[in-house]
Structure formats: C-alpha cells, structure tokens
Amino acid sequence: MTANAFFQLALYLGVLILLAMPLSRWLTRVMAGDIPRVLRPVQWLEHGLYRLAGVEPKQEQHWLAYALGLLLFNVLGFLALYALQRAQGVLPLNPEAFGAVSSDSALNTAISFVTNTNWQGYGGESTMSYLTQMLGLAVQNFVSAATGLAVAVALIRGFARKSVRTIGNFWVDLTRGTLYILLPLSLLLALALVSQGVIQNFKPYQSARLLEAQSYSQPKLDAAGQAMKDAQGHAVLESVSTQTQTLPMGPVASQEAIKLLGTNGGGFFNANSAHPYENPTPLSNFLQMLAIFLIPAALVLSFGQQVGDRRQGWTILAAMTLLFVLAYGVLVAAEQAGNPRWATLGLDQLVNLEGKEARFGIVASSLFATITTAASCGAVNAMHASFTPLGGMIPTLLMQLGEVVFGGVGAGLYGMLVFALLAVFIAGLMVGRTPEYLGKKIESFEMKMTALVILVTPLLVLLGTALAVSLASGRAGIFNPGAHGFSEVLYALSSAANNNGSAFAGLSANTPFYNFLLGAAMWLGRFAVIVPVLAMAGALAAKPRLPVNAGTLPTHGPLFVGLLVGAVLLVGLLNYIPALALGPIVEHLQLWQVAH
Amino acid sequence: MSQSLSQQFRPALVLLLGLTIITGVVYPALTTGLAQAIWPWQANGSLLQRDGQVTGSALIGQAFSGPRYFWSRPSATATLAYNGLASGGSNLGPTNPALQQQVSERVAALRAAHPGQSAPVPLDLVTTSASGLDPHISPAAAAYQLERVAAARHLPVETVARLVKQHTRSAQWGILGEPVVNVLALNLALDELPQ
C-alpha cells in the first residue's frame, strides 16, 4: 500500500464520521416524530398523505401487521415497475423511442429495484426511457431504501422498548424516512453533482461532429434487416465510416444522488459511476463514496442514541470500520501489484489499470470498490471483472459476509445486529450464562430467527451457483475462460442474494435463465431476511429490559468488537472459502505461477 | 391489533402513488429547474462548440488515430470505440489470454507509431477504461506522443509541450484523483494554433 492509499482512506473515514454524527441525531429525531424546524413546512405533505391513505400515525402495529404492510407495499411497487417497463413504448418522455423491455428482463429489473439490489441486466442508455428511469427506477431507489430504514428502526425499537406488543407503524416510518431523510439529502447531493458536470435535462440525445472521421466494421444487413451470413455461417462485416458521436442525455443527477444515498447502485448508464456523465471528477467521486456510507454509518450511531447507550453504536461502528479497513488494504495492494504477465512489455508502471478511469486511478477505484460492496450499493466506478484475482475476491467476500460492513440503508444495521446476537450467544455458551443483549434475554426463538437470517443468503448463493454452473444455459453466459468464469457466476449470485447489485459484468446475465434465477435470489435474499428480523423485533419488544449486573457481558468496548468481527468472519469464511478457492484463489495462483 | 390485508391495501396503494409523485415527478423536476438555472452548461452535457456546431463534450472522450492528434486510451465499447450509446469496459479478466494479446498488440502498435520514442510505454495507452468514454490520458501518455504530433504539424516541440501543460489538470484540490490531460480539449486547442 502506498502512502496515498493510506491518506485517501484516512481522509475518507474522517469526513464520513464528521458528517455521520450530526446526521445520526437528525435520524433519531425524525424517526421518533420530532421533525427538525427547517423541514416543518413539509409536514402538511406528510399529514396529507396519511389522511388520503387512511393512516392514523399514532396507531402502532404488531410486528405481523408491520410485515404484512411492508410486503404488500413492495409487491405493489414491483407490479407498478414491471408494468411501466412493459408499457414505456407508448408512454411519454421517451425521446429515443425505446420499445417495451422484454418480459424476463422487466421482471428481473422490477425485483432488482424493489429489493434495493439494483442489479442491471440492461444497458440504461439503450433500454430505458426517461419516464421509466425517473417514475419507476428512481422511485424504487427512494422507497426501497426507506423500507430498509423502517425495518432497522423497528428492530431498534424492539431493543429499546420493554414489555410492549408494537414496533411502530410501517406507513409512518416509510413516509418519514423518504420525506425527511432521503429527499433533502438527495436534492443537496444532486445539485453538488451537477456543479461537477453530471447532466440533468430532458433533451433528446445530442449529436456531436467528431474532429476526426472514425472507421469501423459492423455486421452487414440484408434487405429484411437481418444480419447476413457467409457460407461458413459467419456474420458478413462491412466497413463504414462516421463523423458523428451520439451523446446520451437525461435527468441523471437526480437519480444519481439517490442511487448512492439509498445504497441502490443502479446506474442511469451501463457504465454506472464510471460514466463521465454520472461521475465526472475526483470530487464527484469523493462525494459519491461519502453518500454510500453516510446513512448506514449515521444509523449505527443513531441506534446507540435510541437504545440509550451511545457506546453500543460506536462499538458496532468500530467493528464495521475494522472489517472495512482490512478489506480495503488487501484490495488496493492487489490492484497496485498489478498483472505480472505484463512485466516484460516495457510499460511505465505495472498497476492494474484495465477497466479503470484515468481520473480516478488505482486508489480511488479500489476505495470505491470496497465501499460499494461493503455497503450493499453496487454502483461501480471501475469494472470489477477486470480486477486482479485477489482484488476481485474482496468485493465478492464483502457481499458474502452478508452486507453487514456498513451495509445497505437499514439492512446493514439489522444484519449486523443479528450477528451481535450470534456473538453474545456464542459468548454465553462459553461462560454458561443465558445470553443477553441490551438487557434483553436472547432465547430460543431469537436464535432460530438469527440462524434463519444468517443461513438464507449462503444457501441461495451456493445452491444458485452450483445450479448455474451445472446447466448449459448457466454456463452459456460465462465470458472469461477458466477460474475467472466461475468467479463471474459466484459473484453474480453473491451480489443478487445479498442485494448488492454490482457484477463481474462479463457474464451475459440478460437471458431468461439468469433473469429468473437472479430474480428469485434477490427476492428471497431481501424478504426472507426482513420477515424473521421483524418477528425478532416483535419478540424483543415484548420482553422486559433486565438491569445490568456483574455477570452481564458488556457489549461495548474492544472485547466485543473482537467478538463481533470474529462472528462475522467465522460464518462468512466457513460458508464461502471452498467456493472462493475454486474461483479467485486458484486464479491468483495461476496468475503468479506463470510469472516466476 | 393485527390489521388484515384488506385494511392495508388503501395505505399501500395511496402511499405508493403519493411517494411516486413526490420522488418521481416533483423531485426530478425541481432538480432540473435548479440545475438549469444555476449550472446550465454542466446540466446540458458540458458541450464544446466549434464554428457554431457541437463538436463533442468536455467530459466524453473521442477516438483519434491520425498522426496530427493526441490519441485517447483504447476503448472497449461495442461496435466502435467511444460509442456514446454503449458505455462499458472490456470485462476481460487478468488471466484471459485475449487481454494479454490485446495489450501486447497495443504496445507494439504504439512503438511502431513512435519510432523515435525510447521512453517506456504509458500503461493507460494500452489498457481500456471502465466507461469506454474516458476523456483523459496521463501526463506521461501525452508526453509520449508529443514529438509525433509536433512533427506531423510542423510545430516546435516546445509549442506543443506548452499546450499540453496548459491542458494538464493536477489532482483536484491537490488531493483527490490523479493528474490528467483532456484529449479532446487539447486537440481542439491544437487545431486553433496558427500553422
């Protein structure tokens, strides 16, 4: 690791904490219904929505009603987004006249955005109309993040309350999270991004006259518009020349802001945050990286405030930061070590620049990749498929750890709290006491739910990967030969089941097989986790809070940080080392063996 | 206490519609209005004009192959390099023989096009970017091409070197990102020079 790699990390973490502290207090107030003065003028909107919806904001819900409402809202959101994609051809705000998205791709994308995954099987600039982008995709960017936030807050209430049957009101949590947290932050970030060059307009795509005519070859088409084939069945190519470049346009900045703040990650364009119109400068890149971790970090601190013991929040944050720094160290070192096969070519440096932008370089690309996969964002500013084997293994592993290293908005915290329960359970077994966390006895029901949450995603990832590499339709999508091809599939399933959404993009995943397989993984990876978490929240809320005594294991401080990191790594590594050995680890050995 | 599904249908539908209008219509419209009022050039794509005609964007690279221009990085976009409708990278893995072959071929082609150049080949000129639209090259990549461009234009090397220096942007605020040269802006400025 170079000095600059350390410096950029320290700068990033320093600014992040400085911003997360005030936001955590904001979060705590808003989710308790105490709206800060600047936003009180917006309250008529909140109350108007409740009146129209027939919601009584003071009436709280049992966990079952909370979960039922959440599921219903997400199913309706899925149906609306599917319908919008299928109908975009006849709807307005479609200057490039894109037709309906194919049914399997629309299904996959609808699930993908509703579950906060934002896996992109499509290329935005050649598929989605402006209307679909803003009225469909961007809306789910907001409400899927608000859904995650609601679940986390419900779980926090489970710990903070004693002997009650309710965990809050889903409709209220959803609305407040959207109106008072996600929207104001998005507006500020969108404008900051525009100042750097991110576009925001509704114009048709622009034509630019190139300085130099460009010749290229393309498949020759017959009179019917079909690609012509020669006697051997190869496509006939014709040489053509152009002096025009088409520049895509659209309302990008507004969508970009929530893409990062909501840890969504679905880009307006195919190249995502590597595209200069999405992420034009190193400063826009720095703001984007901050935006990804901002709400997850603030929520962890807010958790400490809400349960009445700030140390609990800082302890969780320390565990997350430790895992994050370790991951970044390995990733940046691997990318800076580069590709040994290029050593004899006479190049000026040997770092791995393939699939990276010149303005970001190795360090900002490596930092972004660590952040986007530690959080379940999935935006990319470099192509993970072209990372070195170990550099690509870190994003894979961060997703496989369950997206608990900061994680998605809400999802990161509730995922990590489940691991905290596992840690106190293991510690309780070692000393022979009933485990407690924040004064709540952790009993059989909580441990069953914990086990369920922790085991759902590895099952989806490992079984899904096994299925895909066993079937011809799964293997057909693989792009790179050898171990790297296996890594592509493992990455795709890890990304989908853990609701990240980034890809080793060589994989041709826009096929019916992958659209259905990954769609199922995304849906179950989201809601088969949320429901047990809410059940646990309900069970915890009903328990009394026991006073701390001499025998209570303190769940703050370095010892618990160690226990928590240990629990996360134990589960993650036991589940995934064999699969990783077949992909990135064997590829790493092959790459460096040839060099010596 | 548990509410039935039918009772939850109205809030689900109304809030989905209401939040769709707020986040899907009002928010992007408000952002567009503010962006167009405060930063219209940036919001409309940072377009560069020459003779009253759009000749590209300051943010989107173009392909150059003639001796009179500085060359951009290789691009992996579909059909043609720097295709604005198909952003993306090569996605070639580090052990893929195709990547090794492409990089070797680009090194050989660069050396052949710069016979007098003994400096090591700049890495960014033989690797594709993530977007395929990278508008920048490294200062080393510009320096590598300096003599070729100056010779093709019958200009003193110092004149071209000065122009490159003017178009070199150091790390933003001194600490963020890498120093880069904007290829399109540099080539436009070259065309402006008296021959």
Side-chain angles (χ1 to χ4, degrees), chain B:
Chain B
M1 189 174 294
S2 176
Q3 289 161 292
S4 71
L5 201 61
S6 61
Q7 281 170 315
Q8 301 229 42
F9 201 75
R10 178 171 156 205
L13 200 62
V14 171
L15 285 178
L16 181 62
L17 284 174
L19 293 176
T20 296
I21 291 168
I22 294 167
T23 62
V25 179
V26 178
Y27 161 67
L30 181 64
T31 310
T32 308
L34 290 170
Q36 291 287 341
I38 311 173
W39 294 286
W41 186 68
Q42 286 92 331
N44 292 322
S46 307
L47 299 180
L48 300 172
Q49 306 230 342
R50 186 162 72 171
D51 309 330
Q53 206 175 21
V54 175
T55 192
S57 163
L59 296 177
I60 308 285
Q62 293 182 5
F64 294 96
S65 53
R68 290 166 47 80
Y69 286 116
F70 283 91
W71 297 342
S72 305
R73 297 182 63 187
S75 160
T77 56
T79 316
L80 78 163
Y82 289 88
N83 182 351
L85 294 176
S87 61
S90 72
N91 288 313
L92 293 170
T95 52
N96 193 327
L99 176 65
Q100 183 71 9
Q101 190 189 344
Q102 287 181 10
V103 173
S104 310
E105 284 171 5
R106 290 181 195 131
V107 168
L110 267 182
R111 286 231 174 86
H114 300 84
Q117 184 56 268
S118 57
V121 173
L123 176 63
D124 54 320
L125 282 184
V126 296
T127 49
T128 63
S129 63
S131 64
L133 305 172
D134 196 340
H136 298 121
I137 54 176
S138 65
Y144 191 84
Q145 306 180 52
L146 200 59
E147 284 171 32
R148 165 178 59 77
V149 174
R153 288 181 177 258
H154 309 294
L155 287 168
V157 173
E158 298 75 44
T159 311
V160 182
R162 207 175 317 122
L163 210 56
V164 169
K165 198 151 179 251
Q166 281 168 12
H167 286 84
T168 303
R169 202 189 56 198
S170 53
Q172 205 168 5
W173 294 358
I175 46 175
L176 294 174
E178 306 289 329
V180 284
V181 181
N182 187 310
V183 181
L184 177 59
L186 174 61
N187 284 336
L188 277 169
L190 268 179
D191 281 352
E192 296 288 308
L193 284 180
Q195 296 293 310

Side-chain angles (χ1 to χ4, degrees), chain A residues 51-133:
Chain A
R51 259 197 303 282
L52 279 175
V55 169
E56 176 48 60
K58 294 219 160 44
Q59 191 184 350
E60 296 215 338
Q61 293 168 311
H62 183 258
W63 80 263
L64 256 175
Y66 198 101
L68 215 56
L70 183 150
L71 288 175
L72 185 63
F73 180 79
N74 279 280
V75 169
L76 287 181
F78 159 77
L79 292 174
L81 182 50
Y82 179 82
L84 187 62
Q85 293 177 75
R86 297 290 287 158
Q88 71 171 10
V90 295
L91 293 174
L93 277 181
N94 185 8
E96 302 309 307
F98 295 134
V101 181
S102 75
S103 59
D104 59 303
S105 174
L107 175 93
N108 180 284
T109 305
I111 294 177
S112 163
F113 277 72
V114 167
T115 58
N116 200 251
T117 310
N118 305 49
W119 170 269
Q120 286 177 280
Y122 59 89
E125 61 266 56
S126 54
T127 316
M128 298 293 181
S129 76
Y130 294 166
L131 189 78
T132 308
Q133 295 263 22

Side-chain angles (χ1 to χ4, degrees), chain A residues 203-253:
Chain A
K203 297 185 171 175
Y205 292 3
Q206 299 273 322
S207 279
R209 189 177 161 78
L210 294 169
L211 261 60
E212 201 178 59
Q214 193 181 352
S215 51
Y216 60 99
S217 52
Q218 64 180 22
K220 196 169 182 175
L221 304 181
D222 59 20
Q226 298 295 313
M228 287 169 66
K229 300 267 172 73
D230 63 14
Q232 280 87 43
H234 298 300
V236 180
L237 296 178
E238 60 179 345
S239 202
V240 278
S241 174
T242 181
Q243 193 140 13
T244 306
Q245 184 182 44
T246 305
L247 298 171
M249 294 283 130
V252 177

Side-chain angles (χ1 to χ4, degrees), chain A residues 541-552:
Chain A
K543 293 178 193 240
R545 270 187 96 167
L546 307 172
V548 176
N549 63 36
T552 310

Side-chain angles (χ1 to χ4, degrees), chain A residues 317-529:
Chain A
L317 195 68
M320 289 176 167
T321 306
L322 184 63
L323 285 165
F324 169 69
V325 169
L326 287 174
Y328 168 71
V330 175
L331 203 162
V332 78
E335 293 307 293
Q336 285 180 333
N339 191 330
R341 295 187 182 176
W342 300 350
T344 54
L345 294 176
L347 299 169
D348 65 342
Q349 44 182 341
L350 274 178
V351 298
N352 181 22
L353 205 59
E354 177 71 17
K356 295 189 179 67
E357 299 283 295
R359 62 191 178 283
F360 304 141
I362 300 297
V363 173
S365 300
S366 303
L367 188 55
F368 196 110
T370 317
I371 292 165
T372 195
T373 51
S376 72
C377 184
V380 294
N381 79 346
M383 290 303 143
H384 294 186
S386 295
F387 278 16
T388 58
L390 293 187
M393 181 179 80
I394 292 296
T396 318
L397 184 61
L398 280 170
M399 296 187 295
Q400 291 167 340
L401 293 181
E403 294 295 17
V404 295
V405 182
F406 293 89
V409 169
L413 179 63
Y414 64 69
M416 197 54 143
L417 288 177
V418 167
F419 274 104
L421 297 189
L422 181 68
V424 294
F425 177 71
I426 294 172
L429 285 183
M430 289 193 282
V431 295
R433 275 185 59 98
T434 311
E436 286 169 24
Y437 188 60
L438 306 175
K440 300 281 184 176
K441 261 194 186 150
I442 307 305
E443 292 166 298
S444 150
F445 179 74
E446 289 78 33
M447 283 325 295
K448 282 180 193 157
M449 294 299 118
T450 299
L452 204 58
V453 168
I454 287 176
L455 291 178
V456 162
T457 51
L459 267 177
L460 291 170
V461 172
L462 295 173
L463 289 180
T465 305
L467 186 69
V469 296
S470 308
L471 295 177
S473 45
R475 289 193 302 268
I478 292 175
F479 175 63
N480 281 288
H484 200 83
F486 176 78
S487 302
E488 288 173 7
V489 179
L490 181 64
Y491 194 104
L493 267 302
S494 303
S495 176
N498 290 289
N499 298 141
N500 181 278
S502 65
F504 268 16
L507 187 72
S508 301
N510 196 2
T511 60
F513 174 79
Y514 278 109
N515 278 330
F516 287 121
L517 178 69
L518 297 174
M522 289 188 282
W523 188 266
L524 292 172
R526 177 78 165 174
F527 297 109
V529 169

Side-chain angles (χ1 to χ4, degrees), chain A residues 175-198:
Chain A
T175 309
R176 286 187 183 147
T178 308
L179 291 184
Y180 302 127
I181 295 162
L182 298 171
L183 256 180
L185 286 174
S186 296
L187 187 61
L188 291 176
L189 180 62
L191 292 176
L193 291 176
V194 172
S195 79
Q196 292 299 301
V198 178

